[in-house]
Amino acid sequence: NTIICQIADEYKNDEAVRIPVLESAVIAAAALGDRAPSYLSALILPSHLLRIARDCYDRKRWRDCLDFCKRAFLLQRRMTTEGQIELLRLWGLSAIRLSEQNELHFVNLELAKHASRVAERVSHFLKGFDARVRGYLDEAEKRFTLAWRISPNNQHVNRELASLYCKQRRYTEAEAHARSAYKLAPTNPFLIDILLETIIGKQSQGLEVDHEERTELFRELRKYGDAPGSAHYQIRTAQHLVKQKDYPEALKCLAQ
């Protein structure tokens, strides 16, 4: 980030600065905070902070995500309603990951101020996610179902319902939600993984599955399953081997 700001500094006395350079420099300045050049800091928008917060969450830097959400919240009047709700969603998710109930309570109070079905869905989702993380699966199902009724095509809601039903070995119900999510983003490793988990689960219960589809999903997971901090392909392959009682190969797979 410091280097990006230095590169932009070389442009600042020019008559024109290329937009990609300026945009990258402003995002870098937002990440640097007080260490950034003042002329770049003046250009920081809440959308820049939200973008960094989302990246931090994806990288499991939940404390940083929460901090950037708080910075963006101070500028919320310059954000669209959709941006404010997304900000609160990321804030709430980070609070849950960090087990900070006071932060989550604040987020839900702020969401309640929005007369919006989207805000209502996000609030139900956060409450469901919090319940699921803390092991209250019945409450999680209730909240996720309420979120799903508001937005039945939302991939995050469908993935959480599919994952929840898999934990309860309700694989047929899980499959319906996993497929809905997968159709929306067929290259997302998390969605490929949950669909594959439902199929393996159904097979373990002696239910009919499409073996060619299962094989293709393994190929896709191997291709796209390199999300940061994940090992979807190895874990799901090991699970499949365990179902076949091939324990040595399962252990070998996990050791790779």
Side-chain angles (χ1 to χ4, degrees):
N1 291 326
T2 302
I3 294 173
I4 294 173
C5 287
Q6 290 174 349
I7 293 172
D9 201 43
E10 295 177 6
Y11 280 88
K12 72 176 182 179
N13 294 321
D14 290 356
E15 292 183 1
V17 180
R18 288 183 293 176
I19 294 298
V21 172
L22 184 60
E23 181 71 6
S24 297
V26 172
I27 292 172
L32 286 172
D34 295 339
R35 293 175 293 153
S38 58
Y39 76 95
L40 286 176
S41 297
L43 299 176
I44 296 173
L45 299 173
S47 58
H48 295 127
L49 298 170
L50 184 58
R51 177 174 169 180
I52 297 170
R54 188 180 294 112
D55 182 64
C56 287
Y57 185 83
D58 290 342
R59 295 176 181 274
K60 301 183 179 182
R61 291 166 49 194
W62 298 311
R63 175 61 61 189
D64 290 336
C65 177
L66 192 149
D67 289 343
F68 277 107
C69 285
K70 288 184 174 182
R71 287 177 59 186
F73 185 75
L74 297 175
L75 305 172
Q76 64 174 313
R77 292 184 179 180
R78 299 166 63 186
M79 301 178 73
T80 64
T81 299
E82 292 77 8
Q84 292 176 38
I85 294 172
E86 173 63 6
L87 159 67
L88 292 170
R89 185 184 76 88
L90 290 169
W91 190 339
L93 288 172
S94 297
I96 293 167
R97 296 289 194 182
L98 295 167
S99 300
E100 298 198 3
Q101 290 296 308
N102 289 337
E103 297 285 351
L104 180 60
H105 179 65
F106 174 81
V107 166
N108 280 316
L109 288 177
E110 289 297 318
L111 285 169
K113 296 178 182 179
H114 292 274
S116 161
R117 294 285 279 173
V118 175
E120 185 181 356
R121 184 253 297 164
V122 170
S123 181
H124 283 310
F125 181 86
L126 290 176
K127 290 173 182 175
F129 189 68
D130 180 53
R132 196 264 287 171
V133 168
R134 295 200 286 163
Y136 303 126
L137 299 189
D138 289 342
E139 177 64 17
E141 181 181 358
K142 172 187 172 182
R143 290 295 181 176
F144 286 141
T145 300
L146 288 170
W148 178 81
R149 288 174 182 169
I150 295 171
S151 186
N153 292 320
N154 183 275
Q155 71 180 56
H156 302 293
V157 174
N158 277 295
R159 178 178 179 269
E160 285 297 332
L161 275 169
S163 179
L164 184 69
Y165 290 143
C166 281
K167 287 178 173 60
Q168 299 172 327
R169 298 177 62 81
R170 296 159 61 184
Y171 295 112
T172 300
E173 292 169 271
E175 183 183 14
H177 290 288
R179 289 193 182 281
S180 293
Y182 174 76
K183 286 177 182 177
L184 295 169
T187 61
N188 184 311
F190 295 96
L191 303 185
I192 299 170
D193 181 64
I194 192 62
L195 179 54
L196 189 52
E197 182 178 359
T198 66
I199 291 173
I200 294 172
K202 284 182 65 178
Q203 186 178 3
S204 71
Q205 293 180 335
L207 300 174
E208 184 177 351
V209 299
D210 185 333
H211 296 284
E212 291 184 6
E213 180 188 35
R214 185 198 64 199
T215 300
E216 181 58 30
L217 286 170
F218 268 116
R219 290 197 193 100
E220 291 179 7
L221 194 59
R222 189 168 194 172
K223 180 178 181 181
Y224 300 113
D226 57 350
S230 69
H232 293 303
Y233 177 74
Q234 286 82 1
I235 292 172
R236 203 57 62 206
T237 300
Q239 181 197 28
H240 179 56
L241 292 167
V242 167
K243 299 291 186 185
Q244 296 179 321
K245 301 187 185 303
D246 192 345
Y247 304 116
E249 285 299 319
L251 289 171
K252 187 184 298 184
C253 179
L254 290 173
Q256 291 179 359

